[in-house]
Amino acid sequence: MSQRLTSTSRTGIALAATAALALGLSACGGTTKTSTDKATTGAPAGSSASAAPNAATKTGLTVAFLPKQVNNPYFTISDNGGKAALSSLGENYKEVGTSSGTDTAGQVSYVNTLTQQQVSAIAVSAQDPGALCTALKQAMSNGIKVVTYDSDTNPDCRQLFVSQASSEALGRSEVDLLGKQLNYTGDIAILSAAQTATNQNTWIGYMQDELKQPKFAKMKLVKIAYGNDDAQTSFQQTQGLLQQYPNLKGIISPTTVGIKAAAQYLTGSKYKGQVMLTGLGTPNDMRSYVKDGTVQGFELWDPAKLGSLAAYAATALASGQITGAAGQTFKAGDLGTFTIGDKGVVLLGQPTVFDKSNIDQFNF
Ligand code: RAM
């Protein structure tokens, strides 16, 4: 597959971008800085460009969602949230992606195809922080706006990261939840997704830091296992952890696929109610395990809202209203107005903790 656009189409994109910039400038009264959207220092790719906050929202844009995995129900919910937001704005939605959560080459190839197709923006959940960078930078240099959502790349490979919640709070709170469930005592393990996943690795870093606090002195992290966001691998990894560590008292699984598979294993085993399980799951996946006593509590954000916010951010970028610099704001329909933070990060909000008392109020 050719990764390059013809020089004619590149020129076309450049002309369109210049025209859009000019329109945006006249709408907001003008600024003379030109958009380069290129970073060499690891800063977010759009942080040095100027925005036209009052520019009209363009219609007929095409925003492509590229999730970590297309057959993962979590991404079906998030990307449908993106689709609904785009259709309310009069934009076009498409979704492409691999069925494996560890196919970085596949993700690269989809980015290259979307660049050839000259989509307006790409919203991607990255399987790896660096693997997509060359392809995403090529997309951005062709005028395509790049938003990461759910799982980030290195900041210079995208204009914005739409984050589900504070990574630090997510990592620390999962350790706190497990600590309460096992009375702050015992061996624990983490069942993660792919070994390279940016989001899980960031959360795990904060979990390890949280465990250094004195109140966790009697809790010992004995193993980090990887289920690759594959149900069968995650199930087998859970079984392996329990066999290898007979004193295991708790598991944190910060992935919707992992926590569901671990709960499935525990519920049919002698460990049910004995080994605690928490992490990140959807209420619909986890409801029966909460009701049967396998799981006491876990957390998540609303994936549909995450996808919706990514769609609004991509549209605002492609309309020239924002560039990705800290302090810029954009509107996201019913979700409200959001301000871009440090390193081009936009935060959706706080996650919800689900347990017996509230799980029936949620349907996703
Ligand atoms: C899985 C994916 C995703 C993560 C959720 C919690 O579906 O790994 O990236 O955010 O779990």
Side-chain angles (χ1 to χ4, degrees), residues 68-69 72 74-75 125 150-151 164 193 197 199-200 203 229 254-257 280-281 300-301:
K68 270 185 181 173
Q69 245 186 329
N72 175 338
Y74 166 88
F75 287 109
S125 171
D150 177 71
S151 183
Q164 40 272 72
N199 52 347
Q200 273 91 10
W203 301 328
D229 273 345
T255 129
T256 56
V257 179
L280 305 175
L300 200 70
W301 48 93

Side-chain angles (χ1 to χ4, degrees), residues 34-327:
T34 34
S35 164
T36 60
D37 277 7
K38 274 193 183 144
T40 49
T41 58
S47 57
S48 62
S50 294
N54 299 322
T57 301
K58 292 185 189 172
T59 53
L61 298 167
T62 297
V63 179
F65 275 70
L66 171 50
K68 270 185 181 173
Q69 245 186 329
V70 282
N71 57 346
N72 175 338
Y74 166 88
F75 287 109
T76 305
I77 306 172
S78 65
D79 294 7
N80 278 337
K83 183 181 184 183
L86 290 169
S87 106
S88 77
L89 291 169
E91 321 295 0
N92 304 305
Y93 160 88
K94 68 196 266 176
E95 188 201 50
V96 293
T98 74
S99 54
S100 155
T102 57
D103 183 5
T104 50
Q107 283 207 308
V108 168
S109 159
Y110 277 112
V111 172
N112 290 334
T113 305
L114 294 170
T115 302
Q116 282 182 317
Q117 293 170 347
Q118 301 173 26
V119 296
S120 316
I122 300 173
V124 54
S125 171
Q127 293 180 3
D128 181 292
L132 308 183
C133 281
T134 305
L136 290 175
K137 285 181 180 175
Q138 168 100 22
M140 289 190 289
S141 71
N142 280 290
I144 296 171
K145 302 303 176 191
V146 175
V147 173
T148 49
Y149 72 109
D150 177 71
S151 183
D152 202 6
T153 55
N154 298 327
D156 57 328
C157 314
R158 48 70 175 162
Q159 273 116 354
L160 278 185
F161 171 43
V162 176
S163 178
Q164 40 272 72
S166 144
S167 298
E168 175 167 2
L170 274 175
R172 294 191 190 283
S173 62
E174 287 171 70
V175 172
D176 294 348
L177 271 175
L178 187 62
K180 279 183 206 134
Q181 293 170 11
L182 45 77
N183 211 9
Y184 300 94
T185 311
D187 288 355
I188 66 165
I190 294 172
L191 173 67
S192 190
Q195 204 156 352
T196 60
T198 325
N199 52 347
Q200 273 91 10
N201 286 340
T202 309
W203 301 328
I204 290 170
Y206 286 113
M207 289 180 202
Q208 288 171 312
D209 192 62
E210 181 71 4
L211 284 166
K212 290 180 189 151
Q213 283 203 46
K215 70 173 169 179
F216 298 110
K218 291 188 192 145
M219 272 167 66
K220 187 169 163 230
L221 177 62
V222 292
K223 171 100 177 170
I224 302 173
Y226 298 92
N228 293 337
D229 273 345
D230 175 76
Q232 202 181 337
T233 310
S234 304
F235 188 90
Q236 285 161 351
Q237 288 292 324
T238 307
Q239 186 175 32
L241 284 172
L242 291 158
Q243 281 166 0
Q244 204 183 341
Y245 300 99
N247 295 324
L248 202 68
K249 291 287 181 287
I251 299 173
I252 299 175
S253 188
T255 129
T256 56
V257 179
I259 196 173
K260 182 183 179 191
Q264 246 160 7
Y265 180 78
L266 289 174
T267 195
S269 78
K270 62 180 180 189
Y271 306 104
K272 177 181 171 185
Q274 305 298 311
V275 172
M276 296 296 135
L277 170 66
T278 191
L280 305 175
T282 70
N284 287 355
D285 277 350
M286 301 304 289
R287 195 176 326 275
S288 64
Y289 305 114
V290 168
K291 297 209 167 170
D292 78 2
T294 306
V295 171
Q296 288 184 7
F298 63 97
E299 59 187 320
L300 200 70
W301 48 93
D302 183 340
K305 288 186 180 166
L306 182 68
S308 172
L309 185 54
Y312 281 109
T315 303
L317 277 170
S319 299
Q321 294 158 347
I322 55 172
T323 62

